[in-house]
Amino acid sequence: MAPKTERIMFLRAVRQLHRVRSFYAGGVLLWAACATWTSWQAPGSRQMWVSVLLLAVFTGLLATAALSLRRLEVAETDRPAHHAASNKTASPRHAHA
């Protein structure tokens, strides 16, 4: 069984990865919009290529964060589940009238 501090650090890492993933998703949307707008206004310009480059960077960061988060969540589900005993008895003690 892992110490409580490891569990807390694990939960913090997962929470931070969720935040970072949403930030990168926003960056992907922003740079996709900028790249589309710039390529429509001035195709082949330096601004368009910078927008495409930043879109590629944020897409790579988003993919890395999503992959890391998926690996952490899979590692968490490897533990055996502890279920409480059922409230129902195996056989009734009293016969119904």
Side-chain angles (χ1 to χ4, degrees):
M1 185 170 173
K4 287 186 179 184
T5 55
E6 286 182 19
R7 178 77 178 152
I8 291 171
M9 295 299 287
F10 175 78
L11 292 175
R12 284 181 186 168
V14 169
R15 208 173 314 132
Q16 186 175 7
L17 274 173
H18 278 290
R19 284 190 213 122
V20 166
R21 186 181 61 174
S22 62
F23 176 77
Y24 290 155
V28 166
L29 291 175
L30 174 73
W31 289 113
C34 288
T36 304
W37 178 261
T38 308
S39 64
W40 184 56
Q41 292 291 321
S45 67
R46 180 177 289 174
Q47 290 85 7
M48 184 201 77
W49 290 113
V50 169
S51 296
V52 169
L53 175 71
L54 288 171
L55 173 62
V57 167
F58 271 86
T59 302
L61 290 170
L62 177 63
T64 304
L67 183 64
S68 298
L69 191 58
R70 183 174 297 202
R71 285 183 180 171
L72 282 175
E73 287 177 351
V74 167
E76 181 183 11
T77 59
D78 287 343
R79 294 188 194 174
H82 297 283
H83 298 286
S86 173
N87 289 337
K88 296 170 68 175
T89 58
S91 60
R93 295 180 185 225
H94 301 287
H96 293 289

